[in-house]
């Protein structure tokens, strides 16, 4: 052994990055104790009762004692329960002798693979059950599972459940396996297991309150609606007992929209409901270009027509795409490119 | 599995809108199983906004809109749309002329509806089989390959437009030339139909390489 003069830094071996800090249980417990003590001190400071000091009171107290004008709410001083601050992590997966607890630890994604194994086991059980039923000459009962009412967990939710990073491929494999399990006729026995991975989707999408009709001086019913498309903003007032006249910003549509396509778009909601000659419309529009203004007025008129029409027809309008705001906007130009997608001319040298 | 095309402003759970009025007036009993499932799905999922080219009026036709979009240059939809309407008008005029000149017994066979002529002409131009370049062992072969419906329609429209843009006298206007080509294609004559037949013959000639296709 030759003793060479070296520094301590060189003697340290190359330790790879160990990932985010792992918090031990004792550490978290200590944090919780400190938080509770701090809560009582804070209540004392504010002159309130330490027993009934809720989280909202804490937030208000901190905002009062440490005022901050920072924009990001997450950057301001906050005092929350340690379970909210420290992300839920896996505790250390191996014992004192260095031997891991789980048998699939060395795969890297132990919870994902154990989940896949479990699901496949359930699949095999269902198939065995099915074979038994066929052997006893009993017909396999197939109850149609309501597909529209539920959805599978998203990748992010599954990651939170397993406390492990997944790739898109892994996630899609898992979903395929679940679908395969559900497709079998005797899958009802494993309903509970499947329910863990599916979520209810609310049947009626965001029940929008349909405003009641308003009446103006002559007793004519009217209703207003607002619409937007790209940068154009429009408001429309639809009157009942009309002749089908449409006025935009004080001028007739024939003069304002010389192009046939725009006029077709304005007439679209009326034609769809079959009420072309029955309503009068007065609208104001600003911003955007020719087609954007037409789209904005279309949306505004469709929203205004909701008050004149039954709920079923409102649903039909929604399914025809008349009531959704078009989210498409102009894509920004990126640095290093000429436009939003077009790159500069590539020169070999 | 839903694959997003590059990326779109809509989330992948959004469904396409259904514009035709008739599909909403069907009573519940007439629907098949699939249609019922589709209806239930539509009731829960959000729906994309209808694009400005789509409308529920009788005059909007998806094939005509697709053709106008393909004819459009630098986003000048107004010009493309006017050219299209002038073409249809020209077809109607030519057919009416023929109709008035024809003897009584032939008057019924002459088709005057320009939309019918347009659809039939494009249908006649659609190739059945296409060729694709497959590289095997260093050499590239032209292998006959079945085409999807979308691809057939696209090829028919593309050939029609390129034909009208290139093989014409400098002074002829696009609507005139287009109406001429459409009428020829309606009667299974003309350069576009010839191009389709050439493609079919090439595919027949390269029949020996058909086994190179693996899909």
């Amino acid at each position: 052994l030759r003793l060479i003069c070296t520094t301590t830094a060189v003697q340290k071996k190359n330790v790879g990055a160990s990932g985010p800090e792992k918090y031990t249980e004792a550490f978290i417990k200590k944090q919780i104790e400190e938080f509770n003590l701090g809560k009582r001190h804070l209540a004392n400071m504010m002159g309130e009762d330490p027993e009934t000091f809720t989280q909202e009171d804490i937030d208000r107290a901190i905002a009062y004692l440490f005022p901050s004008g920072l924009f990001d709410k997450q950057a301001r001083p906050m005092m929350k329960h340690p379970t909210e601050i420290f992300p839920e992590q896996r505790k250390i997966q191996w014992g004192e002798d260095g031997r891991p607890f789980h048998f699939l630890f060395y795969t890297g994604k132990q919870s994902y693979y154990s989940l896949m194994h479990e699901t496949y086991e359930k699949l095999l059980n269902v198939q065995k059950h099915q074979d038994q039923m066929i052997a006893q000459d009993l017909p396999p009962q197939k109850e149609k599972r309501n597909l529209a009412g539920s959805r599978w967990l998203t990748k992010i939710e599954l990651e939170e459940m397993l406390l492990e990073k997944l790739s898109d491929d892994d996630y899609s494999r898992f979903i395929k396996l679940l679908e395969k399990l559900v497709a079998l006729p005797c899958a009802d026995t494993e309903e509970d297991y499947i329910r863990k991975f599916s979520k209810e989707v609310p049947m009626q999408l965001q029940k929008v309150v349909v405003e009641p009709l308003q009446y103006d001086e002559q007793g004519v019913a009217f209703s207003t609606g607002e619409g937007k498309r790209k940068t154009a903003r429009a408001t429309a007032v639809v009157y009942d007992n009309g002749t089908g006249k449409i006025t935009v910003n004080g001028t007739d549509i024939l003069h304002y929209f010389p192009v046939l396509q725009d006029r077709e778009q304005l007439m679209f909601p009326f034609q769809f409901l079959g009420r072309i000659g029955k309503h009068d419309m007065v609208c104001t529009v600003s911003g955007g270009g020719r087609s954007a203004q037409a789209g904005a007025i279309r949306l505004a008129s469709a929203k205004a027509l909701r008050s004149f029409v039954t709920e079923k027809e409102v649903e039909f309008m929604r399914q025809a795409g008349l009531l959704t705001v078009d989210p498409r906007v102009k894509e920004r130009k990126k640095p290093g490119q000429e436009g939003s997608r077009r790159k500069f001319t590539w020169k070999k040298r | 599995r839903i694959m997003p095309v590059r990326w779109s402003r809509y989330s992948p759970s959004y469904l396409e809108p259904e514009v035709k009025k008739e599909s909403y007036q069907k009573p519940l009993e007439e629907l098949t199983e699939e249609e019922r499932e589709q209806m239930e799905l539509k009731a829960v999922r959000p729906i994309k906004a209808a694009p400005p080219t789509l409308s529920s009026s009788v005059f909007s036709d998806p094939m005509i809109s697709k053709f106008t979009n393909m004819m459009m240059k630098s986003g000048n939809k107004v010009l493309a749309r006017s050219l299209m309407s002038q073409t249809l008008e020209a077809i109607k005029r030519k057919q009416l002329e023929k109709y008035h000149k024809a003897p009584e017994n032939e008057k019924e066979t002459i088709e005057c509806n320009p939309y019918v002529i347009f659809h039939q002409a494009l249908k006649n131009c659609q190739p059945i089989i296409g060729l694709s370049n497959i590289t095997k062992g260093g050499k590239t072969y032209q292998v006959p390959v079945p085409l999807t419906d979308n691809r057939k329609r696209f090829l028919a429209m593309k050939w029609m437009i390129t034909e009208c843009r290139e093989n014409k006298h400098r002074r002829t206007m696009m609507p005139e030339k287009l109406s001429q080509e459409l009428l020829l294609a309606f009667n299974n004559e003309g350069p576009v139909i010839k191009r389709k037949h050439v493609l079919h013959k090439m595919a027949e000639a390269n029949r020996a390489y058909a086994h190179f296709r693996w899909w």
Side-chain angles (χ1 to χ4, degrees), chain A residues 205 264-265 271 298 318 341, chain B residues 6 42 44 50 52 56-57:
Chain A
L205 279 171
E264 212 177 8
Q265 285 296 290
Q271 205 267 340
R298 183 185 92 181
R318 184 190 77 93
R341 296 279 167 118
Chain B
R6 293 202 196 168
K42 282 208 155 182
V44 199
S56 73
S57 75

Side-chain angles (χ1 to χ4, degrees), chain A residues 138-184:
Chain A
L138 285 166
Q141 301 106 346
K142 184 154 188 180
E143 272 170 39
K144 252 290 170 74
R145 217 172 140 265
N146 194 8
L147 283 167
S150 57
R151 62 168 177 89
W152 297 118
L153 286 180
T154 56
K155 182 169 160 241
I156 303 168
E157 284 165 0
L158 195 63
E159 276 184 5
E160 274 172 39
M161 207 167 111
L162 299 176
L163 295 174
E164 217 175 43
K165 290 274 177 200
L166 292 176
S167 78
D168 284 329
D169 240 355
D170 292 336
Y171 173 69
S172 56
R173 266 190 87 180
F174 178 59
I175 296 293
K176 278 187 197 156
L177 193 57
L178 277 178
E179 304 243 313
K180 200 169 158 184
L181 178 57
V182 161
L184 293 174

Side-chain angles (χ1 to χ4, degrees), chain A residues 112-161:
Chain A
Y112 168 70
Y113 283 115
S114 66
L115 184 73
M116 291 289 274
H117 276 297
E118 258 179 56
T119 322
Y120 192 65
E121 206 186 300
K122 304 273 184 224
L123 189 91
L124 290 174
N125 283 347
V126 167
Q127 279 175 346
K128 212 165 71 172
H129 184 57
Q130 204 182 337
D131 292 335
Q132 279 171 357
M133 297 285 268
I134 292 177
Q136 291 164 10
D137 288 326
L138 285 166
Q141 301 106 346
K142 184 154 188 180
E143 272 170 39
K144 252 290 170 74
R145 217 172 140 265
N146 194 8
L147 283 167
S150 57
R151 62 168 177 89
W152 297 118
L153 286 180
T154 56
K155 182 169 160 241
I156 303 168
E157 284 165 0
L158 195 63
E159 276 184 5
E160 274 172 39
M161 207 167 111

Side-chain angles (χ1 to χ4, degrees), chain A residues 144 146-149 168-169 172 201-205 229 259-261 264-265 268 271-274 290-291 298 315-316 318-321 324-329 331 341, chain B residues 1 6-7 9-10 14 16-21 24-25 33 37 39-60 77-78 81:
Chain A
K144 252 290 170 74
N146 194 8
L147 283 167
D168 284 329
D169 240 355
S172 56
V201 174
M203 270 307 277
Q204 292 302 325
L205 279 171
R229 170 95 213 270
V259 182
L260 175 65
Q261 184 185 301
E264 212 177 8
Q265 285 296 290
F268 184 6
Q271 205 267 340
F272 185 75
L273 297 168
R290 163 207 114 214
S291 188
R298 183 185 92 181
E315 180 58 28
F316 289 156
R318 184 190 77 93
Q319 288 189 8
T324 23
V325 179
D326 206 327
R328 303 180 289 178
V329 284
E331 203 175 312
R341 296 279 167 118
Chain B
R1 186 165 148 219
R6 293 202 196 168
W7 54 275
R9 294 285 304 190
Y10 292 109
Y14 276 69
E16 298 294 324
E18 171 67 60
V19 180
K20 286 191 282 203
K21 258 207 279 194
Y24 293 114
Q25 270 143 14
E33 278 291 324
E37 275 179 45
M39 247 184 68
E40 276 183 44
L41 197 64
K42 282 208 155 182
V44 199
R45 295 280 193 87
I47 309 231
K48 297 187 194 178
T53 42
L54 204 57
S55 162
S56 73
S57 75
V58 281
F59 301 110
S60 74
K77 180 87 106 181
V78 179
R81 187 91 185 239

Side-chain angles (χ1 to χ4, degrees), chain B residues 92-102:
Chain B
K92 183 84 183 187
R93 278 185 198 274
K94 287 186 186 169
Q95 287 298 88
L96 277 178
E97 246 190 78
K98 249 172 79 174
Y99 183 82
H100 287 302
K101 283 187 193 158

